[in-house]
Amino acid sequence: MLRFFFWSLLVLNALLLALNVGWLGNWSLESHEPERLKMQHHADQLLQISASAAQSRVEPVPEVKAEITACLEIGNFLQNDAPKIEEKLKTLALGDRQSRLNVNESASHMVFIPSQGSKDGADKKVSELRRIGVTDFFVIQEQGPLHWGISLGVFKTEEAAKQHLANLNNKGVRTARIMPRTVTTSKFAYQLRALSADEKAKFDLIKAGFPAQEVRNCQNTAYSKS
């Protein structure tokens, strides 16, 4: 019996020795979970990423801002023309973002047709002007050398007056002249503020109906609100 235990222990020790040396093949845990052990072997290369660092890696979505036109003005309109533009501007429904401004405009050169001698003569000349498509004028009724003459426009510069006279000549107006004359006229401009892109597009369509009027950025001018 003792001999059996002796040989059994001897065989068992031999098997353990062979297993450790590798004579019986590789039976380590690595053969069952190689990937897991490999990750453990390189644990020193793992990085701990904080929550703030992770957030910093996320690229922010760019904010899309609506285009806004801060402030613009259109003008300057004569008293008779003001209702026309005001009716159009109502469609924008700007409320307190719209103001009407009184503008004192000075001009120093007038294009005119000399006195026609009487009201009948002035009326006849007016009919001729309308027949050839000239509609921007008024009959001068104040006493003086120009009484019953016809004003065809007043301009800030002589160059602008000459250009207007040339246009009238092309239409067939032959008796018009230019003379220096300082005239201060009360006109109106309209200030529009904080226009969205859609409102600006609608305004551009309105402006197309008033090609002679200037559109400008809001600025300090000689005007007052009305």
Side-chain angles (χ1 to χ4, degrees):
M1 188 70 177
L2 292 174
R3 182 178 298 179
F4 173 77
F5 284 112
F6 172 77
W7 287 108
S8 296
L9 290 174
L10 182 62
V11 172
L12 182 60
N13 288 331
L15 289 174
L16 290 174
L17 177 62
L19 181 63
N20 290 333
V21 173
W23 291 344
L24 299 179
N26 188 357
W27 290 87
S28 66
L29 186 61
E30 184 177 356
S31 62
H32 297 281
E33 295 181 319
E35 295 299 327
R36 183 176 178 183
L37 290 176
K38 187 182 296 183
M39 292 176 61
Q40 292 177 354
H41 291 164
H42 299 284
D44 59 328
Q45 297 181 7
L46 297 178
L47 296 177
Q48 182 177 1
I49 302 178
S50 64
S52 59
Q55 292 177 357
S56 66
R57 292 172 180 266
V58 180
E59 296 184 359
V61 178
E63 182 180 356
V64 178
K65 296 183 179 180
E67 181 181 353
I68 297 294
T69 302
C71 185
L72 57 80
E73 294 176 4
I74 180 172
N76 299 323
F77 294 88
L78 291 169
Q79 178 72 46
N80 294 337
D81 296 328
K84 300 176 186 177
I85 183 65
E86 288 178 3
E87 189 66 25
K88 297 292 184 181
L89 293 177
K90 283 181 182 178
T91 61
L92 297 178
L94 298 180
D96 58 4
R97 290 185 289 140
Q98 175 181 318
S99 303
R100 189 174 81 165
L101 312 173
N102 296 321
V103 182
N104 292 324
E105 189 174 86
S106 296
S108 58
H109 294 80
M110 181 172 70
V111 179
F112 73 104
I113 294 175
S115 175
Q116 299 301 296
S118 66
K119 182 179 182 303
D120 290 341
D123 290 342
K124 180 179 178 180
K125 180 59 68 174
V126 164
S127 297
E128 294 176 2
L129 292 173
R130 286 176 175 160
R131 188 164 55 250
I132 61 177
V134 178
T135 59
D136 188 8
F137 58 81
F138 71 89
V139 177
I140 302 172
Q141 300 187 25
E142 64 185 53
Q143 297 297 323
L146 294 178
H147 190 212
W148 301 124
I150 300 172
S151 172
L152 297 169
V154 290
F155 301 88
K156 293 181 179 180
T157 65
E158 185 177 7
E159 290 74 16
K162 287 180 178 179
Q163 181 62 52
H164 187 59
L165 178 60
N167 293 337
L168 292 171
N169 290 339
N170 291 336
K171 290 183 176 182
V173 180
R174 304 301 180 193
T175 58
R177 304 285 185 270
I178 296 176
M179 68 175 292
R181 185 179 187 184
T182 300
V183 177
T184 300
T185 307
S186 294
K187 294 185 177 182
F188 301 102
Y190 295 86
Q191 190 177 94
L192 314 176
R193 298 176 293 278
L195 295 180
S196 67
D198 183 58
E199 291 169 337
K200 178 61 167 57
K202 292 178 180 179
F203 169 77
D204 290 340
L205 293 177
I206 294 174
K207 168 62 178 68
F210 301 88
Q213 297 299 329
E214 176 190 9
V215 175
R216 54 189 176 263
N217 292 328
C218 298
Q219 55 188 350
N220 294 326
T221 321
Y223 57 64
S224 59
K225 292 184 179 180
S226 61

